[in-house]
Amino acid sequence: MSYQVRSILQWLDTDSSNPVPVFCFKDQFISVQDLRGEVVELHHHLLTLSAKRVALYFEDHYSFVISLLACLYAKKIPVLLSQTKLSRIAIESQHYDLLLSEHTIDQDIDGEVFQPREPFQPVPGDLPALSLQQTIELFTSGSSGHPKKVVKTLQQMDDESRLIAPLLHSRLADSCLLTTVNPCHLYGLTFTVWLPFSLGIPVNRKRVIFPEEFSAHVTNRCYTLITSPAFLKRIDETFSPPPTSLVLSAGGPLDLPVTTKINAWLGVGVDEIYGSTETGVMAHRYRETIERPWRCLPDVRFTPIEDHWLLKSPLVTEVTGLALSDALTFVDDDCFHLAGRLSRLIKLEEKRISLDEIERQVLALEGIIDAAVMAITQRGRKRIAALVVMSAEQEQQWRLNRIATERLWRKTLGIYLEDIAIPRYWRSVTSIPCDALHKRQESRLQELFFETH
C-alpha cells in the first residue's frame, strides 16, 4: 500500500474540492479547511500577546491541536507540561509566561492567562511559513519527581513520524484514531498528533478516559487505539469489542497475560513502543500470546559502554549518543529483551540485587494484585521493602495474622531469591501511585511507604 508521510509544513494545505477529515466525533467529521480557519483565528489573537513561551492545557484534543499549531504559526514556543491537573500546571508557572486553556483559572500564576473562545470562529487568511527548526518544550519527571525540560524541533518530530510510519501505516489506514493518553507527553504528541496528521488519519476529538467508553464505539467504523498498560489492564472483556485494527501501548511494562486478553477480545495483538522523551522511539514489538523481543528501528544502534548502553539514533542530536538507564540483553544485532532499569540494580551487602526481579516474584505470590519493591534505609542499614496491593481475602488474612502470613511469603520467595533480596518490610496500600502512562516515581513510593508506617 502506497502512502505519503507529510511534514507539519503541509498539514494545513487545503483543496476545496476534496475536504480531508482530520477529526471525527460521533458521526461528524471536521475537515482540514475548518481546522485551518480556526488556527488562523487563534493565531491572530496570539500575535497581540507578548508572551513567548505558551503552556497548553486542554481536555479537548481538537482544541489542543488548534492551540499547538496557532502557537507555532505565531512564532511562540509551545510548552507541554505533562501534569494532568490544572493546579499542578499553575504551580509550575516558572516554565512559561502564558497559559492557554479552555478552563477558568482560579489560581494566581506568574504570567498571562488566555482563554480562547469556544467554539472558535474560523476566519479566512494566510499563515506565515513555519521553520522546521522551531521548537516544542516537553517535560519529563523521570525518577526524581522534578520536571526536566526536553526540547524537540519540528524536524525531529517529522523524522520520528517517517521512522514509525512503515511499521503501522497499513493498519492505520481507513481507521479512526482513539486515544487514552495525554498529548503533552511525547508518546501522545507523536502518536495522537504527529503521526495521524502526517498520514491523514482522522482522530477522535474526545479523549477516552474509561474502558467502557472505548467499548461504546461499536459502529461500522474501524478504530486504532493509542493507549497505555494502565488502561489495557482495566479493560472488561464482558463488553462488546469495537472493530479495531491496531492497539498501541507505551509508557511502561505490559504483562503478557494482558496482551493475551486483548488478543482474545479484539482479535488483534498489542503493538508496543520502547522509547522516552529524551530518545524518541527506539524499538517496537508485536505480541499476541507469546513473548517476543524488541526490534530496533532502522538506524537505531546500541553500543555497550562500561556498565551501560549508549544509544545512537536518527532522532538524537547528540553526536556522542545518549546513555540509557535500562539494562538490555541482545538476542542478535537488532533484537533484545529489556532486563530492567539500571537504577533498579543495587548493591546490598556486596551483592548485586535486581529490584525488578524481586518485584516479579512478589507479584507471583497468591493474593498479591500489584506491588512496588524498593530499598529503604532504617537504623543505618539498607533493606528491601515492599508496597503491596492485596485481594480482599489476602488483606483480611494478613491483618488477622501478619507474622504468619509474612513468614509464609518469605519462605516462598526464598525458593527463588537470595535471603538478602527477600523483603524485610511490608506495607499494604489500596493502589500503587502512577502517572497517566503507568510510570512510578521512586520519591513518591518512598514517601508512601513511610506514610503507612
Side-chain angles (χ1 to χ4, degrees):
M1 180 186 296
S2 63
Y3 65 98
Q4 178 187 7
V5 184
R6 299 185 306 157
S7 165
I8 187 176
L9 306 182
Q10 303 168 292
W11 286 4
L12 297 184
D13 290 352
T14 59
D15 178 357
S16 58
S17 64
N18 183 26
V20 178
V22 287
F23 279 94
C24 54
F25 183 59
K26 297 181 179 178
D27 294 325
Q28 299 177 336
F29 285 92
I30 299 171
S31 71
V32 68
Q33 288 89 340
D34 293 331
L35 176 67
R36 180 187 174 90
E38 300 193 24
V39 170
V40 170
E41 193 263 353
L42 181 55
H43 156 260
H44 287 167
H45 281 289
L46 292 177
L47 289 176
T48 67
L49 302 176
S50 60
K52 294 298 182 184
R53 302 175 72 246
V54 184
L56 308 182
Y57 185 85
F58 291 92
E59 299 291 338
D60 182 87
H61 205 74
Y62 181 50
S63 299
F64 173 85
V65 171
I66 292 169
S67 301
L68 175 72
L69 292 174
C71 283
L72 291 170
Y73 279 107
K75 299 301 184 283
K76 301 184 185 296
I77 299 173
V79 176
L80 309 184
L81 293 161
S82 58
Q83 302 293 344
T84 56
K85 293 183 179 180
L86 193 57
S87 58
R88 293 297 306 168
I89 297 288
I91 290 171
E92 295 177 6
S93 58
Q94 75 273 20
H95 296 300
Y96 59 88
D97 43 39
L98 169 66
L99 174 60
L100 196 60
S101 176
E102 63 198 342
H103 300 277
T104 300
I105 313 299
D106 56 3
Q107 293 173 270
D108 292 330
I109 65 171
D110 298 328
E112 299 178 87
V113 177
F114 179 65
Q115 288 183 272
R117 294 198 306 272
E118 180 63 36
F120 298 99
Q121 299 298 316
V123 297
D126 294 329
L127 288 166
L130 292 177
S131 165
L132 290 177
Q133 297 313 305
Q134 286 179 246
T135 59
I136 297 173
E137 293 180 1
L138 299 103
F139 287 79
T140 177
S141 60
S143 59
S144 68
H146 299 291
K148 174 187 175 184
K149 182 169 72 175
V150 178
V151 178
K152 297 287 183 180
T153 65
L154 304 190
Q155 181 71 67
Q156 284 177 292
M157 298 302 300
D158 272 358
D159 289 344
E160 189 167 38
S161 286
R162 293 191 184 95
L163 197 64
I164 298 163
L167 296 171
L168 306 176
H169 75 89
S170 62
R171 287 173 291 153
L172 277 167
D174 301 320
S175 72
C176 179
L177 189 145
L178 299 173
T179 174
T180 73
V181 300
N182 188 336
C184 288
H185 295 281
L186 182 64
Y187 172 48
L189 183 66
T190 297
F191 288 96
T192 73
V193 179
W194 234 272
L195 187 64
F197 269 80
S198 297
L199 292 175
I201 307 299
V203 181
N204 197 67
R205 175 170 182 164
K206 297 296 183 183
R207 187 151 55 102
V208 176
I209 305 298
F210 302 106
E212 52 267 30
E213 292 178 303
F214 174 55
S215 302
H217 287 84
V218 180
T219 66
N220 56 1
R221 189 179 300 161
C222 193
Y223 295 98
T224 287
L225 179 65
I226 308 297
T227 189
S228 67
F231 186 88
L232 293 176
K233 286 181 180 180
R234 300 197 306 269
I235 288 285
D236 184 347
E237 316 97 290
T238 61
F239 287 101
S240 299
T244 306
S245 59
L246 171 65
V247 176
L248 190 73
S249 176
L254 182 62
D255 298 331
L256 185 59
V258 178
T259 66
T260 303
K261 176 184 77 172
I262 296 301
N263 181 60
W265 189 53
L266 292 176
V268 297
V270 179
D271 286 79
E272 293 179 88
I273 290 297
Y274 171 57
S276 71
T277 308
E278 293 89 345
T279 65
V281 174
M282 295 179 280
H284 162 267
R285 68 176 174 179
Y286 177 77
R287 290 194 299 171
E288 295 171 305
T289 58
I290 62 172
E291 194 63 72
R292 295 184 186 277
W294 296 92
R295 180 174 293 277
C296 298
L297 267 64
D299 299 321
V300 171
R301 290 292 175 263
F302 300 95
T303 304
I305 303 291
E306 297 179 351
D307 60 347
H308 65 270
W309 291 91
L310 190 70
L311 166 73
K312 290 197 174 181
S313 162
L315 306 179
V316 171
T317 56
E318 288 82 356
V319 177
T320 56
L322 280 180
L324 294 185
S325 57
D326 290 324
L328 312 179
T329 303
F330 275 81
V331 177
D332 55 38
D333 289 344
D334 293 318
C335 296
F336 61 89
H337 293 285
L338 289 173
R341 304 279 289 179
L342 291 175
S343 60
R344 303 274 288 166
L345 294 171
I346 64 170
K347 272 200 171 180
L348 204 58
E349 297 185 6
E350 307 308 317
K351 294 186 177 180
R352 200 170 181 84
I353 302 295
S354 169
L355 296 178
D356 286 326
E357 176 59 23
I358 301 171
E359 209 163 271
R360 279 192 288 272
Q361 297 300 336
V362 170
L363 282 168
L365 294 172
E366 186 175 353
I368 302 298
I369 298 170
D370 202 357
V373 171
M374 71 203 82
I376 65 170
T377 301
Q378 288 196 341
R379 301 182 184 92
R381 299 187 67 181
K382 185 178 286 187
R383 300 286 193 182
I384 302 299
L387 287 168
V388 291
V389 180
M390 308 181 204
S391 65
E393 296 81 3
Q394 183 64 67
E395 175 85 16
Q396 183 180 24
Q397 180 180 328
W398 179 72
R399 294 198 179 280
L400 287 174
N401 200 337
R402 181 168 176 170
I403 293 176
T405 302
E406 292 181 10
R407 185 182 295 124
L408 177 61
W409 287 342
R410 284 193 291 270
K411 182 179 179 181
T412 305
L413 293 172
I415 300 172
Y416 309 99
L417 301 173
E418 293 191 55
D419 289 347
I420 195 67
I422 298 173
R424 176 73 175 270
Y425 305 105
W426 301 81
R427 299 288 183 270
S428 173
V429 292
T430 55
S431 64
I432 306 296
C434 299
D435 65 16
L437 286 179
H438 203 61
K439 290 184 177 180
R440 299 171 178 179
Q441 294 182 355
E442 184 67 24
S443 58
R444 179 61 188 129
L445 295 177
Q446 293 272 350
E447 290 171 8
L448 186 59
F449 185 87
F450 287 106
E451 282 173 9
T452 60
H453 182 57

